[in-house]
Amino acid sequence: MDEAIPNQAGAAGAFTPPTAEQVQAWIARHPMREASAWLRWGPWLVLGGAVLLMLVLDGAAALIVPWAAIAGLFIFAASRARSAASLGQRTVKLQEATMLRHYPVALRSAWRMLPDTVMNPALRSRVMGVMAVCLDQLRQYDAAMEVYDALLSDVPNGHPAGMELRVRRAIAALSADHLADADDALRRVRHQLEPHAGTPLGAGFTFAQLLQHVRTHHFADAVAMSPTLLDDLRPLGVEAGYGHALMALCFQEAGADAPAAQRWWDRATTLLPAAALVGRYPELAPMMEQDHA
């Protein structure tokens, strides 16, 4: 499975993201598991044995052997603490690489880190979240959906984190033209989103609706969203640029208002490079070509 992720020294052009099947197999190979019985009870057994030895041994052995056991126990505990801290730091760097849009590097690191997180649910979720975002941004939408499905299996129904994952999965499904799948996912969360207006979750749902209109060629319905779209997408930060670009396309396709289409495109390219917009949504290519005409 590792062959899906090239070596760090490999050329950027040689990067090959994992397929949906490889992602599914890798996650199944490294499921969450509890700590072994030795890790859970071993330290207490050692401590109990040390106390017992202090009671039954005589002379120098009564001091040396028990205290040596206790010292070993503290060394073991310190080593585990250092490993946990190191894993946490690696996860932070992983998320920083994702924020800097270094998606191949972040995906490769997350892939290799997943086996180290199987006994830490919080870190495992963060690492898998990075995998999903990177696969999504690299347009490996079916693979991203596999990660979202794995994350959703561990989230209770109705939990805000679950709603966010469903919205992200729906966006990936729309991007992969799985329109029925995406529509079903959006219907499941629509009635739960009212308390989340003005949040990244609410903004993500608005973007999903806009993308759904684009992919189903309901451009006039998308244009109807334009009066509030700037505020609705604001919580997404620079990622709102994708929504602005799609709205520009909708104005153009609907033949509604050419100056408005240009204004939306200008807003989009203020936030993100035109090449990045078209790289993620190829249907925006005419907007870029028109801008350069």
Side-chain angles (χ1 to χ4, degrees):
M1 210 69 63
D2 287 318
E3 65 272 11
I5 305 295
N7 292 330
Q8 181 79 17
F15 177 77
T16 303
T19 65
E21 292 75 16
Q22 288 173 316
V23 168
Q24 184 183 48
W26 190 244
I27 293 174
R29 184 175 168 182
H30 303 288
M32 276 298 305
R33 64 172 186 264
E34 293 185 357
S36 66
W38 163 247
L39 288 176
R40 285 184 283 124
W41 300 107
W44 296 104
L45 292 174
V46 171
L47 183 61
V51 172
L52 181 62
L53 288 173
M54 292 178 70
L55 296 175
V56 301
L57 293 177
D58 294 323
L63 296 175
I64 296 173
V65 175
W67 285 109
I70 292 173
L73 183 61
F74 276 108
I75 292 171
F76 172 75
S79 175
R80 288 198 67 196
R82 283 195 301 270
S83 295
S86 175
L87 188 59
Q89 291 169 358
R90 289 166 60 197
T91 305
V92 169
K93 290 181 180 179
L94 188 65
Q95 293 175 310
E96 290 174 350
T98 307
M99 292 176 63
L100 293 171
R101 309 177 74 82
H102 298 163
Y103 300 122
V105 172
L107 176 57
R108 180 170 46 238
S109 298
W111 183 273
R112 291 174 174 167
M113 282 178 61
L114 186 65
D116 298 331
T117 64
V118 295
M119 290 189 292
N120 190 319
L123 288 185
R124 184 173 187 267
S125 294
R126 288 165 63 185
V127 169
M128 289 178 63
V130 166
M131 288 176 61
V133 169
C134 292
L135 288 165
D136 201 329
Q137 292 291 337
L138 292 168
R139 298 180 61 192
Q140 303 298 310
Y141 301 118
D142 288 325
M145 290 168 65
E146 290 290 344
V147 184
Y148 287 132
D149 286 339
L151 286 167
L152 281 166
S153 67
D154 296 326
V155 178
N157 288 332
H159 193 282
M163 288 190 285
E164 182 177 356
L165 289 170
R166 291 188 191 282
V167 170
R168 290 186 179 184
R169 189 190 184 283
I171 293 172
L174 287 166
S175 299
D177 283 329
H178 300 318
L179 304 183
D181 188 347
D183 185 64
D184 179 64
L186 293 176
R187 287 177 184 275
R188 292 181 64 180
V189 298
R190 181 176 286 114
H191 68 283
Q192 301 173 309
L193 284 170
E194 185 176 349
H196 302 283
T199 69
L201 174 55
F205 182 80
T206 298
F207 177 80
Q209 287 182 305
L210 174 60
L211 182 58
Q212 185 178 38
H213 289 322
V214 171
R215 289 296 162 96
T216 55
H217 299 98
H218 293 163
F219 300 113
D221 291 336
V223 167
M225 300 172 64
S226 63
T228 62
L229 192 70
L230 273 177
D231 289 333
D232 291 342
L233 295 185
R234 202 179 305 279
L236 297 180
V238 297
E239 300 291 318
Y242 292 117
H244 299 166
L246 291 173
M247 182 56 73
L249 177 67
C250 292
F251 267 98
Q252 179 173 312
E253 293 292 333
D257 187 342
Q262 187 61 49
R263 285 195 299 273
W264 281 104
W265 182 254
D266 290 342
R267 289 166 180 155
T269 53
T270 298
L271 294 174
L272 291 165
L277 297 170
V278 175
R280 184 158 173 77
Y281 297 110
E283 58 262 54
L284 295 171
M287 297 300 303
M288 186 169 68
E289 292 168 4
Q290 178 179 303
D291 201 36
H292 290 164

